Amino acid sequence: MVPIQNLYYLLCYAWNRLPEHGEWQRVDTSTFHRPLELLTHMLLIGTRRLVQQGLPLGYAEREAELPELRGRILLTPTISRDLLRQGRAVCAFDELGPNTPFNQLLAGTLEVLSRTRHLPASLRQEVRRVRARLPEELQAAPFTRHQLRTVRRLRLPGAEGFLLNICDLIYRTALPEPDTEGRTRFHDFRRDETLMAQLFERFVRNFYRLEQRRYRVLSETISWQAQAEQAADLELLPSMITDTTLESPARKIILDTKYYTAAFKPHYDRQRLISPHLYQLYTYLQNQPAPAGQQLEGVLLYPAATHTADLRYTLGGFPVRVVTIDLNQPWPGIAADLLTLVA
């Protein structure tokens, strides 16, 4: 289980954002008992900053009964109310204001958090204070998957994209309270291995992208070194997409992250490496053409849970390393271990 303070760093890097110095100091000195408290704290910090800089505005369609024409006339309500003889009409027009899909989702998320019993009362009060700083005319959107998908399609950059990721993670950890209408309870997403595997993979890749300059960092698709009688048959081969590839003129490292409780599994009376993980990495190496003078290597990286390991092999002529990283240690140690791994 990743400590909550380290979870902050993991999330920041997974979402491709360097933690700000003053911000991580506040997180380090704060006491959080649940991940939801950390997520709420991060959401409040980002929302305050967004309000200070100026909430992004956008055009939204509005309907109103007006004494002059604006936009387009809505004939059905205009005629049914007999407005034309009064010199009025119902019009639909675009108006610049705060009611963008993102702002409405942000307001909706804050309103859900302000009501949940899974936050301390003091933090709920702070949520209400921040919500009150948003414009009065801003209408909160329902906290739903549909709204999240709508906003996700906008591909928001920077601070808005970061806050959207927080809202999305809060939604993914929310469950309806049984027999209670409108209330939500939250589970500890650190127990969701699928979700944590995705975050761990993105955390490692973006850490190397942001914290070192020796390698170009990417996730790449490897083509099979294969032939077939029918060219169309090659399209049936499964895709090979690396978690993280680090490449320099002299060295290329294919690094596969595995968020498992152990790098080993019992086999009769002995511990063995997890064979599909090793087969997958070996397949990547075999099908990866390397330029002359470039060393091709493979790394399997696990979080250290039940065992620690640092195993080195040569498989098919390729150096391969199976290593664990302790996510329970203080953050400087995690950062140092990741940089040492590719030194």
Side-chain angles (χ1 to χ4, degrees):
M1 190 79 75
V2 181
I4 292 181
Q5 264 68 18
N6 286 346
L7 186 63
Y8 166 74
Y9 293 96
L10 188 147
L11 292 174
C12 283
Y13 282 102
W15 294 332
N16 205 26
R17 176 180 178 270
L18 275 172
E20 297 185 14
H21 183 70
E23 188 175 320
W24 68 252
Q25 280 187 325
R26 287 195 293 273
V27 170
D28 275 352
T29 56
S30 301
T31 301
F32 301 111
H33 299 96
R34 298 185 178 98
L36 180 63
E37 296 172 20
L38 172 65
L39 292 175
T40 302
H41 179 80
M42 294 170 69
L43 188 69
L44 293 178
I45 289 175
T47 303
R48 289 193 202 97
R49 185 177 296 119
L50 198 63
V51 170
Q52 290 171 356
Q53 295 172 350
L55 205 65
L57 304 179
Y59 284 96
E61 188 174 76
R62 182 186 166 199
E63 295 181 11
E65 183 182 312
L66 301 174
E68 72 278 340
L69 297 181
R70 185 176 177 185
R72 56 190 176 87
I73 298 177
L74 300 180
L75 289 177
T76 300
T78 298
I79 294 173
S80 65
R81 299 179 199 173
D82 196 23
L83 295 175
L84 291 178
R85 287 195 298 177
Q86 306 172 37
R88 303 177 68 83
V90 177
C91 300
F93 52 93
D94 290 335
E95 186 172 68
L96 184 65
N99 281 296
T100 67
F102 167 74
N103 292 341
Q104 291 176 325
L105 172 66
L106 184 59
T109 306
L110 291 172
E111 291 189 1
V112 168
L113 293 173
S114 71
R115 296 191 300 266
T116 181
R117 293 172 296 181
H118 291 256
L119 290 176
S122 59
L123 192 52
R124 291 200 304 270
Q125 291 173 359
E126 185 60 30
V127 171
R128 295 187 190 105
R129 281 195 288 268
V130 172
R131 172 64 179 97
R133 293 181 62 183
L134 300 178
E136 290 184 8
E137 64 270 27
L138 176 57
Q139 302 169 357
F143 191 46
T144 63
R145 183 174 299 279
H146 172 74
Q147 185 69 14
L148 282 161
R149 287 176 175 171
T150 298
V151 180
R152 182 70 69 185
R153 286 194 290 267
L154 300 176
R155 299 183 179 277
L156 298 173
E160 293 170 73
F162 183 75
L163 290 174
L164 174 59
N165 284 326
I166 298 175
C167 293
D168 183 66
L169 188 51
I170 291 173
Y171 177 82
R172 292 175 69 172
T173 62
L175 297 169
E177 283 277 17
D179 305 322
T180 307
E181 185 175 349
R183 287 195 178 273
T184 301
R185 59 189 172 93
F186 296 86
H187 68 274
D188 190 336
F189 65 85
R190 292 176 297 173
R191 301 184 186 278
D192 185 334
E193 284 196 358
T194 301
L195 173 59
M196 288 302 297
Q198 296 169 357
L199 291 172
F200 184 55
E201 174 190 330
R202 279 181 268 168
F203 155 67
V204 171
R205 181 168 58 247
N206 287 329
F207 175 87
Y208 286 124
R209 184 177 287 141
L210 294 168
E211 296 293 354
Q212 58 80 45
R213 294 291 177 266
R214 179 179 176 183
Y215 301 99
R216 182 171 70 101
V217 180
L218 67 153
S219 173
E220 64 172 337
T221 300
I222 299 174
S223 299
W224 287 89
Q225 303 300 303
Q227 297 178 341
E229 293 184 4
Q230 302 292 330
D233 294 346
L234 294 174
E235 298 177 5
L236 301 177
L237 292 170
S239 299
M240 292 190 291
I241 304 174
T242 65
D243 292 346
T244 302
T245 298
L246 300 101
E247 185 171 23
S248 70
R251 193 178 180 194
K252 185 170 188 176
I253 305 169
I254 296 177
L255 191 155
D256 231 27
T257 53
K258 301 297 181 185
Y259 196 84
Y260 281 68
T261 55
F264 308 95
K265 68 176 183 178
H267 182 76
Y268 297 106
D269 60 341
R270 302 185 64 182
Q271 294 287 325
R272 301 282 188 181
L273 291 170
I274 302 174
S275 54
H277 299 173
L278 205 57
Y279 296 156
Q280 180 186 29
L281 180 62
Y282 186 48
T283 302
Y284 287 174
L285 295 169
Q286 283 185 311
N287 288 275
Q288 177 67 248
Q294 186 184 66
Q295 175 68 60
L296 183 60
E297 307 170 32
V299 174
L300 281 177
L301 180 64
Y302 296 84
T306 57
H307 298 90
T308 59
D310 189 356
L311 309 173
R312 299 171 188 262
Y313 303 96
T314 300
L315 303 179
F318 303 111
V320 170
R321 189 173 175 187
V322 181
V323 64
T324 57
I325 183 167
D326 182 7
L327 297 179
N328 285 288
Q329 64 180 311
W331 168 251
I334 297 174
D337 286 351
L338 284 172
L339 293 174
T340 301
L341 182 61
V342 298

